[in-house]
Amino acid sequence: MHRLPHFAAQLRDDLVAALRQGPVRRYWGNFMVEAVDFSRLDGSEARVRWQHYAAANGVLGFALERKVLLSVLNNRYGRGKESGPVVDEAAVKVTATEERLAVVLGQQLAAVVAQRIVANLPGADKPSTAEVHAVPGSYPPKGTWIVTMNVREGELEGRVWFALDKNLMTDVLRGVLPERDTGPKSQKQSGPLAQRLQVALNGRLVSKEVTLGALFDLRVGDVIPVSLHRADVMLEDSRLFTAAVTEHKGKLCLTSFEDVE
């Protein structure tokens, strides 16, 4: 999941570019994309109307705040490119034109998200098309991954959301995985997992109990007598083996390993 911000940054660049292209710019006017972030629905959000689009290998949800939709409506059919005060949503009746416009915006932006997901996939996993088309759907369940696009136009700040189903989220994660090395070194490491997995073992050679008073009485040069018996072999804090301590060419070594029962 730590690579999701990388995908979000790519998608932000795509959305910024899309809002500046001719057909899309006629709707979005002077809107600026401020941020694109991942999160999950927790059920406390305000209810909004979701549209759903078949996209790549899954279904993509789209929703936006009504104040953003009304501003786009004015850009397209009202005051043109001039920015005015924020529209009072409560004072504006929902119209068929507004609903049709929401569908147009959903198709425009859902296509951008789908294209970014497909573009990141390895060649063998790419679907045949990144086109989107409307499909029936319900309100995304709690825990669904969503991408939030924060936009601004003058004094107006608003949000646009994209909901990713499990298939699309899987594709997002697959697309941001680091490229695997396919050279000789990678081929050499293609054996069983038990032979390739590396762990760090620590040998505890000596353990001796002393009183706190004796510890504070120690001075530089004092000698603590110890005897080496069998050492404990540790994986982090877990004791896995015991081993005999031997000397070989001036170095202490462990041998004769036995499992800890």
Side-chain angles (χ1 to χ4, degrees):
M1 300 302 178
H2 67 286
R3 294 187 64 83
L4 289 181
H6 176 68
F7 179 90
Q10 290 179 318
L11 181 57
R12 181 187 180 279
D13 292 342
D14 294 343
L15 291 166
V16 168
L19 265 58
R20 293 294 167 263
Q21 293 176 357
V24 179
R25 182 174 182 134
R26 287 200 295 270
Y27 291 89
W28 287 94
N30 296 321
F31 270 96
M32 305 291 293
V33 179
E34 293 202 315
V36 174
D37 299 295
F38 271 90
S39 62
R40 303 188 82 159
L41 287 176
D42 61 14
S44 64
E45 302 86 359
R47 302 287 288 189
V48 293
R49 181 179 177 184
W50 285 90
Q51 303 170 40
H52 301 274
Y53 298 91
N57 293 320
V59 175
L60 176 67
F62 169 83
L64 74 169
E65 290 185 299
R66 187 167 183 246
K67 61 183 178 181
V68 176
L69 178 58
L70 292 176
S71 183
V72 175
L73 184 67
N74 280 342
N75 287 337
R76 180 61 174 159
Y77 302 108
R79 63 178 182 268
K81 297 182 179 179
E82 297 179 1
S83 298
V86 177
V87 178
D88 181 4
E89 301 174 46
V92 180
K93 182 181 178 180
V94 177
T95 64
T97 301
E98 176 185 333
E99 293 179 343
R100 288 194 298 269
L101 177 62
V103 173
V104 171
L105 300 181
Q107 291 174 330
Q108 289 176 344
L109 299 186
V112 176
V113 179
Q115 288 165 6
R116 169 45 55 191
I117 295 174
V118 170
N120 281 1
L121 287 174
D125 296 331
K126 287 185 185 294
S128 57
T129 178
E131 295 180 359
V132 302
H133 60 273
V135 294
S138 57
Y139 202 93
K142 181 179 178 180
T144 298
W145 281 101
I146 60 172
V147 178
T148 301
M149 177 175 75
N150 294 286
V151 296
R152 173 189 289 273
E153 184 195 36
E155 299 177 0
L156 183 146
E157 295 180 355
R159 292 171 294 176
V160 179
W161 298 281
F162 307 95
L164 308 181
D165 71 359
K166 292 181 179 179
N167 290 337
L168 289 181
M169 197 61 200
T170 298
D171 283 347
V172 168
L173 295 175
R174 185 183 297 121
V176 297
L177 286 175
E179 292 186 6
R180 293 177 174 83
D181 184 7
T182 58
K185 182 178 179 181
S186 176
Q187 297 173 4
K188 187 181 297 184
Q189 295 179 348
S190 60
L193 177 62
Q195 296 179 12
R196 292 184 288 114
L197 186 63
Q198 296 185 358
V199 296
L201 297 178
N202 297 309
R204 187 169 63 188
L205 300 181
V206 177
S207 177
K208 184 177 179 63
E209 293 185 1
V210 297
T211 64
L212 184 61
L215 179 65
F216 285 137
D217 289 338
L218 289 176
R219 297 290 183 268
V220 176
D222 286 352
V223 175
I224 302 177
V226 296
S227 58
L228 292 178
H229 299 291
R230 294 189 65 83
D232 292 329
V233 180
M234 316 286 290
L235 175 61
E236 294 186 347
D237 296 327
S238 300
R239 182 167 169 259
L240 298 183
F241 309 104
T242 64
V245 182
T246 62
E247 186 271 338
H248 179 68
K249 295 182 178 180
K251 295 182 179 180
L252 291 179
C253 302
L254 300 180
T255 187
S256 302
F257 288 87
E258 294 182 2
D259 293 333
V260 175
E261 296 181 357

